Amino acid sequence: MNKPKVLVTRNIFPEWINYISDNSELDLWEDELPPPRDVLLKKVKGIDGILCLLTDKIDSELMDIAGPQLKVISQIAVGFDNININEATKRKIPVGNTPDVLTSTTADATWSLLMAAARRITESERFVHQGKWKTWHPLHFLGQDIYKSTFGIIGMGRIGYEVAKRAIGFDCKIIYYDVNRRKDLEEKLPLEYVDLKTLLINSDIISLHTVLNDDTYHLIGEKELNLMKDNSILVNVSRGPVVDSKALYNALLDKKIWAAALDVTDPEPIPNDDPLLKLDNCLIVPHIASASYKTRYEMSKISAENLINGVNKKSLITCVNPEVNY
Ligand code: DGY
């Protein structure tokens, strides 16, 4: 019997590449950079399944070119804003993602970014490496305290909740805003539900954990940044376009807010000449919040299993559109 044809758009852990190639006819894109659009569109013709990344645009054009035999789209990420879910559902194609396994790792990374920004760790580390450290000085590299601060979380999902748990250990007051009030979580942790404006006005730290959709695009823009405290720190580990980058640059430059720590940017990667890169109070890392060995291994495993389950019309372990799961 012919094996199902699959396309994997980047290398994942070798064990899971082997698992896929044992169970399919595998076309693996091994380059570090994503396949260019025209190459991707050529490669999807006639495939039964695709394992893709958030850097691959999976839209109706691609699904049409792939053909009606396409049985599964397996994303190695929890977020799926690069995939047109409605189009996939219309075609009865289940879309897999990798939630849960990355929740704690991403929450840890949120705290790493926050602490580094609050205490100017990357900036002062550069200072030492550049040979500029001449003496201890009472006024050098003053930062912001995190303990006992008011910690505002936007998006109280799985990751937001894990970030909040960690804030308890720092004696923070936690306030949150979400489109859905989470009374179930309020019973477990001292979380206060507030509206967005109240959160922006009162928080010393604001951490973003929303999905990206039409409602959250530029959720943090000039108006919102103007409401924030001048000692506040904005952390974004959600998606770059949730923040208006130009407005953020102006707010950081004019010291309307104190610092930002970004795991994600708009666009990604951030262009080398982007003015945000010139600011000492803007810490930027290349979308690495889920990048621990253990978590990326688990993400590789789930996405590989979702792919092979899907091409065999078996139920995906984690499915974004369960109404069309097998
Ligand atoms: C995701 O999973 O959506 C992250 O952005 C990458 O791990």
Side-chain angles (χ1 to χ4, degrees), residues 41 45 62 65 69 75 93 116 131 133 136 146 189 199 212 217 247 254 267 271 284 291 299 313 316:
L41 292 182
K45 267 184 209 149
L62 182 142
I65 291 175
Q69 77 300 324
Q75 164 104 329
I93 304 169
W133 185 16
W136 187 91
I146 298 174
L189 283 187
L199 183 141
L212 172 64
Y217 179 80
D254 300 344
I284 305 176
M299 290 166 71
K313 293 197 163 189
L316 273 58

Side-chain angles (χ1 to χ4, degrees), residues 45-81:
K45 267 184 209 149
I47 59 166
D48 296 286
I50 182 168
L51 191 158
C52 54
L53 276 65
L54 45 87
T55 45
D56 304 314
K57 187 169 176 204
I58 311 294
D59 56 4
S60 59
E61 182 190 24
L62 182 142
M63 293 178 215
D64 284 344
I65 291 175
Q69 77 300 324
L70 182 63
K71 295 175 194 66
V72 62
I73 297 166
S74 175
Q75 164 104 329
I76 181 168
V78 64
F80 45 81
D81 44 277

Side-chain angles (χ1 to χ4, degrees), residues 127-157:
F127 179 85
V128 173
H129 279 264
Q130 288 162 1
K132 293 181 179 165
W133 185 16
K134 304 280 185 253
T135 184
W136 187 91
H137 195 291
L139 298 178
H140 276 180
F141 290 107
L142 306 184
Q144 303 290 343
D145 285 322
I146 298 174
Y147 75 92
K148 291 201 167 151
S149 60
T150 297
F151 200 118
I153 297 181
I154 299 181
M156 189 49 74

Side-chain angles (χ1 to χ4, degrees), residues 3 13 30 33 60 66 73-74 80 85 94 112 114 122 143 174 193 218 220 225-226 231 245 260 285 306 311:
K3 284 184 169 180
F13 270 73
E30 292 194 75
L33 297 180
S60 59
I73 297 166
S74 175
F80 45 81
I85 302 296
S112 310
L114 169 59
T122 51
I174 307 164
Y193 183 68
H218 286 192
I220 304 297
L225 289 156
N226 279 338
N231 70 316
S245 312
V285 295
N306 277 342
V311 292

